[in-house]
Amino acid sequence: MARWGHIRAVVTVGLAAFLLPLAPVLAEPAYVPLVRDYVEKRIRPMVETPLVLKAIAEQNAKFGDVSEMDMRVLDETYRSEVDQHHLQMVKLLLDNSISHYLKAEQDASQGVLIEFFVTDSHGLNVGQSTITADFWQGDEEKYLQTFANGSREIFIDRAERNESTQNLETQASFVVMDEENRPIGVAIITIAIDAL
């Protein structure tokens, strides 16, 4: 009996060794390395400029002790303005120098960048190339998967087809570091994968 048990074990191990290489490997989607490379080579240098770092630092100082309730009120005000096309808060944000810079970089991307914005350490927008859906990103994956959990990795979201443009798009985000290598905010871009 023991001999048959031994043979069964050898056959099982042999079958497992034979079949395991054929098991599907959970590989990342093909667009992920392309997006990661684009972010590292093109976007990170755009963000690590004195203009961007200074703007984020200034907003961090301004909103240093802001409460979550206050952030939610700011976000609701912003979203209400967008919904009602009464863009007072939105216009102030779009008219600042960092937003002009991000818009120029988006325009120069030859259709790759659909949206480009940066937040402070709370996830509140500091500058943006276009009107974003909301002002506070602190409760979303783009912030939670980067700044909130201390990750230095680029978070690349699942790609989706934009119904109006038919572009395959994804969003990528990463923590912005200051000159002393301290985390100060998050950079977020929406990329047209087909244009890469």
Side-chain angles (χ1 to χ4, degrees):
M1 268 322 227
R3 185 174 169 200
W4 284 111
H6 175 72
I7 291 172
R8 256 190 238 120
V10 169
V11 169
T12 302
V13 169
L15 277 173
F18 175 74
L19 294 176
L20 280 179
L22 300 177
V25 177
L26 295 176
E28 60 188 13
Y31 67 87
V32 169
L34 294 172
V35 170
R36 188 180 297 118
D37 187 60
Y38 185 82
V39 169
E40 282 296 344
K41 290 181 178 167
R42 303 293 283 268
I43 304 303
R44 198 177 292 274
M46 290 177 198
V47 172
E48 293 172 346
T49 63
L51 172 71
V52 175
L53 299 180
K54 182 175 184 264
I56 295 172
E58 287 174 356
Q59 186 159 307
N60 281 338
K62 178 180 173 185
F63 290 122
D65 58 354
V66 68
S67 70
E68 185 171 329
M69 178 68 77
D70 289 337
M71 290 188 286
R72 290 188 183 280
V73 168
L74 287 167
D75 192 48
E76 285 170 22
T77 303
Y78 180 97
R79 285 188 286 144
S80 173
E81 285 188 12
V82 172
D83 290 343
Q84 297 170 14
H85 303 289
H86 175 72
L87 306 177
Q88 184 177 2
M89 183 179 173
V90 177
K91 188 171 176 357
L92 281 172
L93 193 55
L94 287 173
D95 282 346
N96 71 30
S97 58
I98 185 173
S99 292
H100 288 288
Y101 169 73
L102 298 174
K103 176 69 172 144
E105 293 296 348
Q106 176 183 328
D107 291 346
S109 74
Q110 299 178 335
V112 175
L113 295 179
I114 311 253
E115 184 179 52
F116 191 179
F117 59 108
V118 294
T119 77
D120 63 17
S121 60
H122 298 292
L124 297 167
N125 289 5
V126 175
Q128 57 197 51
S129 65
T130 60
I131 297 174
T132 58
D134 47 13
F135 179 65
W136 183 47
Q137 316 305 321
D139 59 347
E140 298 183 21
E141 289 296 301
K142 59 191 116 191
Y143 179 86
L144 298 173
Q145 294 293 329
T146 57
F147 197 94
N149 73 8
S151 173
R152 298 298 176 260
E153 299 296 316
I154 298 168
F155 173 69
I156 300 170
D157 216 340
R158 188 170 48 100
E160 294 181 358
R161 182 80 49 195
N162 182 314
E163 292 301 317
S164 60
T165 64
Q166 289 303 302
N167 281 332
L168 187 61
E169 298 175 0
T170 188
Q171 203 166 63
S173 55
F174 62 91
V175 172
V176 179
M177 310 295 281
D178 69 9
E179 293 90 348
E180 281 83 45
N181 209 31
R182 294 174 303 203
I184 59 170
V186 178
I188 301 150
I189 55 168
T190 302
I191 291 180
I193 295 168
D194 303 329
L196 277 175

